Amino acid sequence: MRRYVVTRLAQAVGVLWAAYTVSFLVLVFLPGDPVTAMAGAGMDSGQIDPERTAALRHEYGFDKPVLVQYADHLGRAVRGDFGDAVTTGRPVTSTLADALPQTLRLTGAALLLAVVLGGGLAVLATYTSRRWLRQFLLSLPPLGVSVPTFWVGLLLVETFSFRLHWFPAFGDDGPKGLVLPALTLAVPTGAQVAQVLAKSLLTALDQAYVETARAKGAGRWRVHLRHALRNASLPALTVVGLLVGQLIAGSVVVETVFSRDGLGRVTAAAVTAQDIPVVQGVVVFGALIFVATNLVVDLVYPLLDPRLVAASGGRAGFA
């Protein structure tokens, strides 16, 4: 077990390093000169001050060789320092820290709704003995996956805000203001959870150990939840870990649609203003959340099925 945990931690560090390196290379080698864009913000290209451009280039280290820039930036990033935002002059870490609570509340609520709704739908669809109801319930997840997130948000706003007046349409108005944005993110995410879990449950219910449990007199509900669901939950758990990154990415759209403060709006503003330090900070932070979630998923695996540790010898790849 110790080797299993150490291997997962090493893989997590490797993924973070790779994410940082790729984001750095992409930002450095993108067409155009970010320093010129910074110096000329709000001005015509012919009015750019060469002295200001040179000062910005020196301030952000763009006058150094690429390898030196990479080493300097990586050394600061390890210490949690991503520099200052170009548009505001504030430290990137402070900018992200101010926006983080709102995004965490949104993605946390959306993930909870997705697991509850998607898991409940999968369990109900595979438990019912009515064929027509099963087919109807199993047809809902593909529909949920195919519907664009922004369309779901607009439909929810039109129905529950403008027509029924149950929830506010925009802003961060307490728990009520969180319902529609979280539900908007949860619909496609929960649909994917339901798809994977339903398929795994149908496969598990055909296994020999389920027939043995039935032969011993176990009821349908006990067989479904205690025997089949435990083994079928492993693929769904992997999907939940992967979907955390999708939720963070989806928050960009949802926070824009619902005019909520958070990392999504910070990212959109930084991309528009070509604020490279903020963009890189957001990329690395998103990778950190993704890695941490998948690390937790990997560490939960042995609790659900200890055979995975013995089978992998501690060498299984990152989820």
Side-chain angles (χ1 to χ4, degrees):
M1 183 64 185
R2 182 179 300 175
R3 182 181 178 184
Y4 182 86
V5 173
V6 170
T7 301
R8 294 304 185 275
L9 289 174
Q11 291 173 341
V13 173
V15 170
L16 279 177
W17 170 80
Y20 181 88
T21 301
V22 170
S23 66
F24 176 84
L25 294 176
V26 168
L27 291 172
V28 167
F29 292 108
L30 275 177
D33 185 359
V35 174
T36 302
M38 297 175 195
M43 298 185 297
D44 297 333
S45 57
Q47 298 176 329
I48 295 176
D49 185 357
E51 294 183 0
R52 173 173 169 75
T53 302
L56 283 172
R57 193 180 301 278
H58 177 73
E59 178 182 351
Y60 288 94
F62 290 116
D63 56 347
K64 300 177 182 179
V66 173
L67 290 180
V68 176
Q69 293 182 43
Y70 173 75
D72 289 346
H73 293 175
L74 181 60
R76 292 200 303 266
V78 170
R79 300 191 299 270
D81 180 11
F82 290 92
D84 297 332
V86 175
T87 53
T88 63
R90 298 183 59 209
V92 172
T93 51
S94 298
T95 301
L96 299 184
D98 290 344
L100 180 60
Q102 290 289 351
T103 299
L104 286 182
R105 280 194 285 269
L106 174 60
T107 55
L111 184 61
L112 179 62
L113 283 173
V115 171
V116 172
L117 297 177
L121 179 62
V123 170
L124 180 60
T126 54
Y127 179 80
T128 182
S129 57
R130 293 182 174 86
R131 183 178 179 84
W132 68 268
L133 181 58
R134 171 178 294 189
Q135 294 299 324
F136 171 73
L137 294 176
L138 292 178
S139 68
L140 294 180
L143 178 62
V145 171
S146 63
V147 174
T149 302
F150 73 89
W151 187 85
V152 175
L154 294 176
L155 181 63
L156 292 176
V157 168
E158 172 67 21
T159 303
F160 295 102
S161 294
F162 297 155
R163 294 183 181 273
L164 299 178
H165 306 288
W166 289 357
F167 303 103
F170 309 107
D172 307 325
D173 188 18
K176 292 186 66 175
L178 186 63
V179 173
L180 295 186
L183 190 57
T184 300
L185 275 178
V187 168
T189 305
Q192 294 179 62
V193 172
Q195 276 187 313
V196 175
L197 184 57
K199 184 176 181 180
S200 298
L201 274 171
L202 291 175
T203 301
L205 289 170
D206 289 334
Q207 299 300 312
Y209 66 87
V210 171
E211 295 298 331
T212 301
R214 289 170 178 162
K216 291 181 178 180
R220 288 186 64 218
W221 194 245
R222 181 177 181 181
V223 168
H224 211 83
L225 296 183
R226 183 171 180 178
H227 296 278
L229 183 59
R230 179 174 180 177
N231 291 282
S233 63
L234 292 177
L237 186 61
T238 302
V239 169
V240 169
L242 296 174
L243 290 177
V244 169
Q246 179 177 308
L247 287 174
I248 296 176
S251 69
V252 175
V253 176
V254 172
E255 288 176 355
T256 301
V257 170
F258 289 93
S259 298
R260 293 180 57 88
D261 294 326
L263 287 178
R265 297 190 71 180
V266 168
T267 303
V271 171
T272 302
Q274 294 183 318
D275 198 333
I276 291 177
V278 175
V279 173
Q280 189 168 29
V282 170
V283 169
V284 174
F285 176 77
L288 177 62
I289 296 295
F290 176 81
V291 166
T293 304
N294 281 273
L295 180 60
V296 171
V297 169
D298 273 348
L299 296 181
V300 169
Y301 269 6
L303 302 179
L304 296 176
D305 191 350
R307 296 172 299 176
L308 292 175
V309 178
S312 66
R315 295 187 297 273
F318 223 107

